[in-house]
Amino acid sequence: METVRSADGTIIAYERSGAGPAVVLVAGAFCDRQWFDSLAAELAADFTVFSYDRRGRGDSGDGDAYSIEAEVEDLRAVVEATGETPLVYGLSSGGALALEAVSQGVPMRKLAVYEAPYMDGEWDTTALNDLWRLVAAGDREGTVVRFLALTGASSQMVEEMKQSPDWPGMCTIAHTLPYDVAICNHGSRSLEWLTSTAVPALVMYGGDSGQWGRSSAARISKKIRGAKTLEIPGQAHGVSDDAMAPVLREFFLDR
């Protein structure tokens, strides 16, 4: 593990593996850098892979108050730690964060995003305020339940998740869930801030994710000049590493 200091002084933890052009991986909700362990292993033969803990997760610190700009500066610090202009892949809200970063001038050679969840009409402000309130009250399980309801999970699905060995980990990271919603809400309201983006971009969605994935990808691609849109057949929001790795390899190595 290595660390870098973000603009506001927050310590951000990251790992590097492999050899070749730098690739930075940006995780989504409920995920720390370990989420990408197997993907990083698959990419390591061709790339130097940097996976990091977003603020408030894993071994990274957190600030006193959250802002999208602070998370962008975290990613900028990791990008600078690569020592070059890297390739970047963002998953789910990590994709939304990567889009925010590229629009704010964080250097990237290419950008690939998978299902940045920009919902039509956004997740409402009341729901975001509910999450902040639950976090402030220290109700981690309640925060997770509220977030899952926002994503469309039924009460039966939530009860099944509570029996999963992953549930304690989900609750541990619950205080970061408002971060994800805040980032995605910004993109749901408008994507005009993406129109100046000049970085080659690949915008992906899963063939089994439903209309929202296709719609979100189309909205993003429409704003980024020259962006390519790609459906990955047979995949839903939890895209498999076996499906993603060859796509990233082809896009990132194509000159």
Side-chain angles (χ1 to χ4, degrees), residues 77-244:
V78 175
V79 164
E80 290 176 354
T82 70
E84 60 186 272
T85 301
L87 308 153
V88 176
Y89 166 56
L91 169 66
S92 189
S93 65
L97 174 55
L99 290 166
E100 295 278 355
V102 76
S103 75
Q104 295 186 37
V106 174
M108 302 180 190
R109 186 146 61 91
K110 290 183 177 181
L111 171 61
V113 297
Y114 183 82
E115 293 196 350
Y118 295 144
M119 303 300 185
D120 292 336
E122 77 177 295
W123 287 328
D124 63 73
T125 303
T126 299
L128 179 55
N129 288 339
D130 286 347
L131 291 175
W132 285 123
R133 176 180 53 78
L134 289 162
V135 168
D139 186 355
R140 292 180 178 272
E141 183 165 296
T143 304
V144 173
V145 170
R146 184 70 175 98
F147 178 86
L148 292 173
L150 284 178
T151 68
S154 67
S155 57
Q156 180 180 347
M157 291 171 61
V158 172
E159 290 304 314
E160 290 174 356
M161 289 182 192
K162 287 182 179 180
Q163 308 308 313
S164 164
D166 295 330
W167 186 256
M170 294 168 70
C171 291
T172 297
I173 211 167
H175 61 286
T176 65
L177 295 174
Y179 305 177
D180 298 293
V181 175
I183 290 172
C184 294
N185 269 2
H186 185 223
S188 293
R189 287 192 291 269
S190 170
L191 287 174
E192 290 305 314
W193 42 272
L194 274 177
T195 55
S196 61
T197 300
V199 172
L202 177 65
V203 184
M204 298 170 283
Y205 64 94
D208 291 349
S209 287
Q211 182 57 38
W212 78 266
R214 183 186 303 270
S215 175
S216 181
R219 290 183 60 227
I220 296 165
S221 297
K222 185 177 180 180
K223 297 300 181 183
I224 301 177
R225 188 182 308 111
K228 299 177 181 179
T229 306
L230 178 67
E231 176 183 316
I232 302 184
Q235 298 297 307
H237 196 56
V239 61
S240 73
D241 295 336
D242 288 343
M244 181 55 64

Side-chain angles (χ1 to χ4, degrees), residues 238-253:
V239 61
S240 73
D241 295 336
D242 288 343
M244 181 55 64
V247 174
L248 292 179
R249 187 176 290 110
E250 179 179 359
F251 175 62
F252 286 154
L253 292 177

